[in-house]
Structures are given as structure tokens and as C-alpha cells.
Amino acid sequence: MNLDLRVISKCIRCGNCRAVCPVFEEEGWESANTRGRIMIIKSLANGHNQSPEVLESLNACTTCGLCIENCPAGINPPDLVEVARRELASLGIMTEVQVELHRNILGAGNTFGERLDRLAWLHDRRVLKKKADYIYFAGCLASFRNPEISSKAFEILSRFGATVLQNEQCCGSPLIRTGFDASPLIEHNLREIDRVGAGAIITGCAGCYTTLKNDYPSQIDIISISEFLADHLQEMELRRLNLQVTYHDPCHLGRMNKIYEKPRQLIEAICSFEEMVTNRKDARCCGGGGGVRAGYKDLSLRLARRRLDDIPQGVDCIITSCPLCLRNLSDVSNDKKVMDIVELVALSME
Amino acid sequence: MKGAIQIFDRFHEIVNERVRSSLDERFCYASDASQIEGLPDFVIRPKSTEEVSRILMICNEFEIPVTARGAGTGLAGGATPVKGGVVLDMSSMNNIIEFDIENLQVIVEPGVVPEKLNRTLKSSGFFFPPDPGSSAICTIGGMISNNSSGIHCIKYGTTRNYVLDLQVVLADGRVINTGSKVLKSSVGYDLTRLFVGSEGTLGIITRAGLKIMPLPIAKRLVVASFDSAVIAGKVVIQIFSAGIIPSACEILDNTTIAVLKRCDPNLVFPNLGDIILFEVDGTDNSTAEQSYRIIEICAPLAQSIREVSSKTEMGAIWEARRLVGAAISRLDPTKTRVYAGEDVGVPIKQIPILIKKIQEISEEFDIPAMKYGHIGDGSLHVALFIDIMDPDQWERLKRAQEKIHRTAIELGGTVSSEHGVGLARAIYMRDQLGNDFLEIMQSIKRTFDPKGILNPGKLSL
């Protein structure tokens, strides 16, 4: 297997990751912990145990990156996990869920295998421009599962001259996270982006953000919607809302790309804000990422419930800036509304 | 293992899904943070004393080795199942059973993580003092089994000083208690202290009564640098002679400082010499006075002295110090820290000699080393780091660690101050303790575990 033993062996098995791995906290087995995963990856690199059994460990990682923050040796375990998943997938060692995801995305251009119009949320296609400075990249979840959010996001961004891609496809994040090659999607989206000639892409999805930012060629600016809106506060007519909210840092926006302040600036411009118990680089994962919601829904929702324990008292709702976090937290939140940051801005603009 | 399926089923009857025998799970339990390896046949996560007792009855009947494990942060292979058999992962027994503040104690299960215990105790104004670098991860059971300590043991002592009572499952499944809630007792052999540091060779700890201490109100930190470890050592003795017992007294050499700065670029440390961190705790007045006296004593001999006044900076320094051992890869990506010869101790007067000799060993074998540790109690952590892809460096590392251990023994010291013996240091037991001592240990072992199923191969037993 093409796994770099030098990188893997930097892990000295100190176990610092044990203190923070959210999956381990739920499951309790060493194989559900970052250290165990690295030991399994090392065994794979040494040619041992290349069996589907290892997927139970490797595929249950949300790639949240809490372990990166806590690793004294400076290892990036989610990267190792993704490489191992890719190597295993290349040998045909993968779960049914991975197979289905792969089929859906490469067959229909979206995570769900939907054959419906991806731009169905767009009420009037005449607003689309052939050329624009900004592209709003909606992503699969917002396009097919949260069309009202894409619609609101675009309504706001179109005031700043944004357009959307005529034929946007999945950014490739779910494929990359679960061990597949996403280059056909990347090449397709790049052609679409080139056609518009925009200088920047704005996205409201943390998964799309990190993929566009880190897996696409770097000649184009990638901006998260909360960054963009926070930078244009003066140009929006926001009214103050009588709400007390908290903010859930999506792992792939916060820890992976260090976007912590702008979402908070935006929220504080609209309503009262209080931090969750763990926040910023220490923010607990919602449990949805890395293919865990798709592959291990029960585990994913248990992780989401743990995240709700971090909500401070007295808040009316939880704001986040990722449709996957939104879905996972919403699924387990009984008494607190979970809202996308775009919805909060739209509410303030009403 | 013969009859493995039937044995698995017997365990399954007791713990349901909390037993596994898949290769990938077993592989994850095949080592701790040391270089010792051994593949278990089964991994079991018990939840109660009764479950442990029933499991041991089966293991005793079929003579299956049993290795207890906490968080697997050990550095000597103590939790590595070198003879196969069962690994009992005790970290799921993690309940704090009772806060008995009025009796100055807590009752906990062995899987409780000390940092979590202390977070809970804080609101009552108390704490459990032993604080190994792995406090956020390791377990109380592992600490007891290795008699762990940490930077504060110079003032507060080791885990042994805090264990009042243990509930232990013996090899044949019987359950005993070794003490009670009284803070002292002069009745009978002190089995509690016997079990502390026994590394799971005499029984499986399933519950512990621990003495707790009031939290100090104030802390101060003085950072002083010295031309040499010899001068630093003299200063430490002068501070003791002045009637001051610092709550921590850590020496850090130049390489360690470079790594610390890489861990946290905001840390301000002098660039030259050996540094000592003196921490004092107590009340505002007592810490101010002690800190003043330490600065006064250091002044004629130190290159530089600085009192750290900000709590944030103090926290950052100790956090970086806690992680420094594993952080060498941040300074040099081609190097990895290997835990070997990392926990020697000598009488405190000998520390400067030990540091000098370790530097010579480092140069002789051309293996770079960070040297840091608790100069106030004579224990020194040596972090050897190598390119782990290079077999020649591995070979030299092995020879270097052998010489480090032998040097500690020659200086009247110990091969392990606080990490334990496990298998990594078992070969030095006879040289450090002598034949008669080892024979007595072996006969004690036979009394508790006649079939030798408990953590076989460890402690030279």
C-alpha cells in the first residue's frame, strides 16, 4: 500500500488524541480512537490485515481534526485516514455505503443520486449571468435538501453581483473524504468556473469550502459566506433581532481553515451571542462529517447529542455555517432551533 | 488459542458485546507508548467488579494470561500482553463513586481520568495531587499500578501517598479490600502499598479510595537560567536548605527549550544555559515570600532570572512542558522521540553528574537527547530521538538506553522514577534490587497468583 511509514511512525502512541476523539468517547474501543486508527494504518502499511474489518475503524472517523490540535508530534491524522481509505478503496475494500456514494456522485453529480434539477431552488433563471465577479457555490446539501437556504443565500449574494454555475456539480468533498478520486468533478467544476470568469467563489458549505480551498487549483479566491457577509456588513441593512444565540464551529470551516472570527462578527451584528462550552479550535464535532452520517447514522447522532450538551443556558437557537452540521444537529435538537447563518442574516434583513 | 471460540462465548456471556477478538482490535491493544509489543487473543472492556471477577475465574481455570490496561499511555510495556491472552481495558470503569469531602477522600473506579477528577473536585476546593504529563489521558488505575507522579511530587509526593484503600480482584476471582476510609492504620501488612506499583501482577484494581488535598490559593513561577546543570543543582539544594519546598522544580536543557519554543512560539525563555522552573504554591503572602527568596538565592549564580506573573503565561509554560517529550518532530521532522531510558532517577545530589554522563552517552552513540525532569526529586527524563527509518540509529539507541540505565544504577539510582518497569526495564530488576529482593517478590507473586496468569513476563517475575 502506498502509505508513508515515516509520517505514520511519527505517532509515538502517547494517546493525547484519546482525550479528545469524539468517536472514541462514544465507542470506548481503542480502534475507535485516533491512536488505534494510526496503528491499524501502520499495520496496513506493513502489509498486514488488508481486510474489510478495518473499515469499522477507519470509516468511523469524522475527520473533525480535534486530534490535530492535540497531537504533540504534529501529525495530521485525518489526512492519514483519508489516504488509507483511498488505498483500501483502490483495492476494492470499501463498504456498501461508499459504493453507493461513489455511484451517486459520479452518476448524477450529487451526493444523493438525485436526477432533479440542481437549480430548482432558483426561482428565476433569468438572473443568472454569463460573467460575474463572484460565484455562489451552493453544494449538494443546500441544493437538494435545504433549497430555502440556497435561495436566501443567493438572494443576498446577487446584490453583490454574484451568479451561480449553470451546471454546478458536487465539489468532490464526499469522494475525497471517503477515499475516492474526485478529479472528474473538480475538472468539470473548474471548466464551469472558468466560463464565468469570476475572481472568487463564495460558498455556504464548510465541506465545499475546504475542498474548493484545498483540493482545487489555487488561482481563485474561495470565501465562506460568513466571511463575505461579515466583510460587507455596512452594505447590508441589518436590523437587530431580539435573540440570544450560540455558534457551532463546523470542523471544516473552523479547525481546518481557521475561520473563527467572521461568523461571530456577523452574528454579533445581528443579535446577542454566547459561546458554546467548547468552541473555536476546541469545538466538539457535530458527528456528521467524514462520511460518518452516511455510514454510521446512529453513532453520528449520538455525537450530535453530545454536542448539544455544550449549548450555554438561555440561548434561543444554535447558529452554524454548514448544511451537514445543520442537519445533524437539527435531527437531535428537540427544544432548540438550529439555524444556518444565512437564515439568521435573511431574518435580519426582512 | 485452543478452544478460543468457546472461551470467547464464555466471556460474551459475561460482558455481551464488550469482548472482541477481531485482528484489527487486537492489533490496537498490542502495545502502549513503548516499543514492547504483544498481540492479545481477546480484548474485554468490563464494567463492574463482578464482571472482572467472573472473567478472572475463567482465565484462572484455563490459565489464560490477563493484562490490565488503562489508557495505554505507559512507557515500559506494562499494559502490553506479551504472552497473549486477555487484555482487560479498564477505562470503561470510569465512575466517580463517592465524593467524601468531609473525610478528605474520593472513591473512584480505575478508569477515571485524573484531570477529569480534578475538574470535578475543583468546585469543592480540593484536588488529587499526582499529575503525570498524561493527566488528561491516563487513568487512576494505571497511575496506581505504576506509582505515577509528575512535576508536583517534590512537594506532594507520588500516587502511593494518596491511596487509602483498594478493591482488588485476585487471580482466582476473589475480591478483597486492602484498606478503609481511615487516613491511617497500623493493623496488618500494608497491602495497599504493595499493590501500588505492582503493575497488575498481583491483582486487578477495580476501585480505589484516594486522599485529596486542599487546592492552593496562589502559585508563582520563577524561571532562572544557569551556566551549567552543576550550578543549577547547587542552587536547588540551597533553596531546600532555606526551608523552601517548591511545588515544582523542573530542569530543562537547551534542546528541550528549542522544542518548547517550537510548541509555543510565544513562550519567552533565555537562549543559553540550563533553565530551572521553580513553582511555589500556597497563599498570596507565602508564595510572594518564597518567590522572593528563590530569586534572592538564584541571583549570585544565575545568568538570568524572571518571575512569571501572568497566569496565562504560567499555564502556557506548563502545558508546553507537559507535551514537550513527544514534540521533537516539530523541531526536526525526520526525527521521532523513542521512549527508552527515559525515566531514570538518582539521589538529587547526583543529578548534575547524571546529566553530564547522559550528554556523554548521547555524544558517544551520536543520538541527540533532550534532558528535562524533576531536579527537585532526582528524576530525569531523557528524550532520545532518531530517524526511525534507519536501523543503524535504532541499534545505537538501544545501546545508549542500556548505558543510561546502567549509569543510573551505578549512581545509586533507579531505572524508573515514575513510569514503571513493565518489560522494557525488567532486565535491570536484579541489578537494581538484588537476588534476595527479587526472590521475595517472586514468592509474593506466587502467593497472590499461583498460576502466574496476571501480567506474565513483567517486573522480571
Side-chain angles (χ1 to χ4, degrees):
Chain A
M1 275 196 181
N2 190 21
L3 295 163
D4 189 343
L5 256 177
R6 180 183 287 282
V7 176
I8 296 164
S9 300
K10 280 197 172 122
C11 171
I12 54 163
R13 300 187 299 278
C14 65
N16 273 282
C17 46
R18 232 178 109 99
V20 293
C21 178
V23 176
F24 171 72
E25 192 176 12
E26 277 302 314
E27 302 290 87
W29 293 101
E30 196 66 43
S31 62
N33 175 31
T34 310
R35 177 176 58 180
R37 289 191 190 100
I38 293 176
M39 289 177 77
I40 286 174
I41 293 169
K42 192 171 181 180
S43 81
L44 292 171
N46 285 323
H48 306 138
N49 202 28
Q50 294 178 0
S51 75
E53 271 184 353
V54 300
L55 297 176
E56 281 296 308
S57 165
L58 299 181
N59 285 8
C61 171
T62 65
T63 66
C64 72
L66 268 165
C67 47
I68 303 173
E69 298 294 332
N70 227 34
C71 177
I75 299 175
N76 186 324
D79 268 4
L80 287 177
V81 165
E82 285 176 14
V83 171
R85 287 175 180 173
R86 196 155 59 237
E87 289 296 310
L88 288 165
S90 73
L91 296 173
I93 300 173
M94 61 186 102
T95 62
E96 276 304 308
V97 172
Q98 280 174 283
V99 172
E100 191 185 345
L101 196 65
H102 187 249
R103 192 171 51 229
N104 284 347
I105 296 178
L106 289 186
N110 66 74
T111 320
F112 311 105
E114 292 279 11
R115 298 286 173 182
L116 301 170
D117 177 13
R118 191 176 178 104
L119 289 179
W121 53 267
L122 187 64
H123 303 307
D124 183 358
R125 279 176 185 257
R126 285 173 303 179
V127 298
L128 290 182
K129 299 172 188 165
K130 283 191 174 169
K131 296 284 177 189
D133 291 337
Y134 300 114
I135 293 165
Y136 167 55
F137 195 97
C140 300
L141 267 164
S143 298
F144 293 105
R145 296 292 181 264
N146 303 102
E148 69 292 350
I149 295 176
S150 343
S151 184
K152 284 173 183 166
F154 187 63
E155 194 184 320
I156 299 167
L157 293 177
S158 58
R159 298 177 189 195
F160 298 94
T163 189
V164 288
L165 297 177
Q166 295 274 2
N167 188 14
E168 176 190 299
Q169 289 198 355
C170 172
C171 68
S173 171
L175 288 184
I176 295 168
R177 305 296 148 240
T178 55
F180 297 106
D181 175 24
S183 52
L185 297 167
I186 294 174
E187 284 160 18
H188 168 87
N189 284 327
L190 282 174
R191 280 196 298 273
E192 290 285 307
I193 292 162
D194 274 352
R195 224 171 267 147
V196 178
I201 298 175
I202 305 165
T203 181
C205 170
C208 295
Y209 178 87
T210 200
T211 305
L212 292 165
K213 182 103 179 167
N214 303 311
D215 296 293
Y216 279 56
S218 58
Q219 63 264 37
I220 193 159
D221 268 356
I222 310 298
I223 309 171
S224 78
I225 199 162
S226 48
E227 285 178 297
F228 184 87
L229 297 179
D231 287 342
H232 291 81
L233 276 174
Q234 304 306 322
E235 297 150 68
M236 295 185 292
E237 289 174 11
L238 299 174
R239 71 184 167 90
R240 195 88 192 146
L241 299 176
N242 184 25
L243 277 177
Q244 173 91 15
V245 307
T246 190
Y247 177 69
H248 164 73
D249 287 284
C251 304
H252 287 137
L253 204 58
R255 258 187 304 279
M256 295 300 183
N257 291 291
K258 314 297 174 209
I259 296 172
Y260 298 121
E261 298 310 324
K262 298 287 182 178
R264 287 167 170 79
Q265 271 179 30
L266 186 56
I267 292 168
E268 285 178 325
I270 295 171
C271 58
S272 302
F273 169 72
E274 200 171 337
E275 289 285 5
M276 295 189 92
V277 173
T278 60
N279 55 71
R280 292 185 167 85
K281 71 177 179 57
D282 301 317
R284 188 184 271 276
C285 173
C286 80
V292 171
R293 183 177 160 95
Y296 306 90
K297 191 156 183 189
D298 172 63
L299 168 66
S300 179
L301 296 181
R302 279 187 280 139
L303 295 171
R305 278 187 206 101
R306 290 255 193 188
R307 181 53 170 154
L308 295 186
D309 292 343
D310 280 354
I311 300 172
Q313 283 194 335
V315 302
D316 303 304
C317 73
I318 310 150
I319 308 296
T320 190
S321 195
C322 168
L324 188 57
C325 299
L326 180 77
R327 288 185 75 75
N328 227 36
L329 293 172
S330 297
D331 279 357
V332 295
S333 180
N334 297 321
D335 56 339
K336 295 278 189 290
K337 184 168 171 52
V338 187
M339 206 190 271
D340 191 280
I341 202 160
V342 168
E343 293 178 286
L344 183 72
V345 173
L347 200 60
S348 161
M349 292 174 81
E350 276 175 7
Chain B
M1 174 174 282
K2 202 176 168 186
I5 294 171
Q6 290 85 345
I7 297 286
F8 181 92
D9 290 344
R10 295 279 300 272
F11 292 141
H12 193 272
E13 279 170 25
I14 300 168
V15 296
N16 301 316
E17 305 303 318
R18 284 177 283 112
V19 54
R20 285 188 177 176
S21 60
S22 64
L23 185 58
D24 55 319
E25 198 64 62
R26 289 157 56 206
F27 199 86
C28 292
Y29 286 85
S31 63
D32 52 16
S34 72
Q35 302 306 311
I36 306 295
E37 292 183 356
L39 199 63
D41 297 294
F42 309 98
V43 181
I44 307 178
R45 291 171 42 225
K47 286 272 197 183
S48 69
T49 304
E50 190 205 340
E51 285 182 356
V52 175
S53 170
R54 290 174 65 194
I55 291 162
L56 285 198
M57 281 182 205
I58 294 170
C59 292
N60 202 43
E61 181 185 345
F62 294 99
E63 299 192 18
I64 300 167
V66 181
T67 305
R69 172 183 166 116
T73 55
L75 299 168
T80 303
V82 291
K83 306 277 186 190
V86 169
V87 163
L88 280 182
D89 177 347
M90 304 300 287
S91 62
S92 296
M93 288 181 69
N94 56 4
N95 295 303
I96 299 171
I97 309 273
E98 186 185 354
F99 287 99
D100 191 354
I101 303 296
E102 287 160 324
N103 278 318
L104 299 175
Q105 58 196 276
V106 288
I107 314 287
V108 300
E109 289 186 325
V112 168
V113 173
E115 192 177 279
K116 287 185 181 168
L117 173 65
N118 278 332
R119 270 206 298 271
T120 317
L121 279 169
K122 195 175 179 183
S123 59
S124 311
F126 285 85
F127 77 124
F128 171 64
D131 59 342
S134 56
S135 291
I137 325 149
C138 70
T139 62
I140 296 287
M143 287 178 70
I144 294 170
S145 297
N146 289 287
N147 188 25
S148 303
S149 51
I151 59 169
H152 292 113
C153 67
I154 177 176
K155 177 172 180 179
Y156 290 100
T158 67
T159 300
R160 178 167 277 139
N161 301 104
Y162 294 90
V163 184
L164 299 170
D165 181 24
L166 292 172
Q167 183 181 67
V168 182
V169 180
L170 301 179
D172 59 7
R174 281 179 297 159
V175 180
I176 62 165
N177 270 78
T178 64
S180 67
K181 280 195 169 185
V182 295
L183 294 183
K184 59 184 185 179
S185 168
S186 52
V187 177
Y189 292 153
D190 191 345
L191 295 188
T192 307
R193 287 170 75 90
L194 176 62
F195 275 104
V196 177
S198 65
E199 301 192 16
T201 58
L202 301 179
I204 308 295
I205 296 164
T206 52
R207 191 171 287 199
L210 305 172
K211 190 166 68 175
I212 53 175
M213 299 288 280
L215 270 169
I217 293 159
K219 286 186 180 188
R220 283 173 186 252
L221 182 66
V222 175
V223 180
S225 68
F226 300 91
D227 268 339
S228 70
V230 177
I231 298 172
K234 282 182 182 161
V235 169
V236 170
I237 302 301
Q238 284 180 28
I239 285 167
F240 284 136
S241 304
I244 298 167
I245 305 286
S247 49
C249 185
E250 294 286 291
I251 188 164
L252 314 166
D253 77 347
N254 249 326
T255 318
T256 311
I257 297 297
V259 177
L260 278 170
K261 285 181 176 172
R262 186 57 64 98
C263 287
D264 184 349
N266 298 319
L267 293 179
V268 181
F269 281 125
N271 288 321
L272 291 170
D274 290 301
I275 287 176
I276 298 200
L277 307 174
F278 295 101
E279 185 198 80
V280 288
D281 71 3
T283 62
D284 287 332
N285 287 342
S286 73
T287 53
E289 188 192 336
Q290 290 181 69
S291 165
Y292 176 81
R293 286 285 291 133
I294 287 172
I295 291 170
E296 203 174 48
I297 293 166
C298 288
L301 295 166
Q303 285 181 335
S304 68
I305 311 172
R306 184 168 76 89
E307 185 175 20
V308 177
S309 48
S310 129
K311 268 189 182 174
T312 312
E313 189 185 354
M314 210 185 293
I317 288 174
W318 286 127
E319 176 62 9
R321 160 63 188 84
R322 190 175 74 79
L323 298 175
V324 71
I328 188 64
S329 299
R330 293 184 183 228
L331 189 66
D332 180 351
T334 66
K335 294 283 194 286
T336 301
R337 197 256 170 103
V338 179
Y339 288 97
E342 87 291 347
D343 189 36
V344 288
V346 289
I348 51 176
K349 203 174 108 184
Q350 307 279 40
I351 274 274
I353 301 169
L354 180 65
I355 290 174
K356 184 168 169 285
K357 284 185 177 283
I358 284 172
Q359 186 54 40
E360 288 166 6
I361 293 167
S362 163
E363 285 162 15
E364 181 187 345
F365 294 100
D366 194 19
I367 301 282
M370 282 193 284
K371 299 171 287 297
Y372 58 96
H374 321 316
I375 189 169
D377 63 26
S379 61
L380 189 73
H381 296 315
V382 182
L384 301 173
F385 38 97
I386 60 168
D387 176 350
I388 42 107
M389 306 302 282
D390 181 351
D392 176 56
Q393 291 193 36
W394 272 111
E395 184 53 37
R396 282 186 275 131
L397 175 119
K398 281 178 191 163
R399 283 156 52 207
Q401 65 128 350
E402 164 78 10
K403 200 158 184 179
I404 290 168
H405 285 133
R406 298 284 174 208
T407 301
I409 295 172
E410 281 162 19
L411 290 171
T414 178
V415 293
S416 177
S417 301
E418 54 189 16
H419 295 170
V421 171
L423 187 61
R425 287 179 266 268
I427 56 166
Y428 307 107
M429 290 285 282
R430 195 172 294 278
D431 285 349
Q432 183 175 326
L433 302 174
N435 290 335
D436 292 343
F437 192 115
L438 209 55
E439 272 176 31
I440 292 169
M441 274 183 62
Q442 283 160 347
S443 61
I444 291 171
K445 166 75 172 169
R446 280 193 295 275
T447 302
F448 281 92
D449 177 21
K451 293 184 178 176
I453 63 165
L454 295 174
N455 210 2
K458 307 298 168 59
L459 290 174
S460 201
L461 292 168

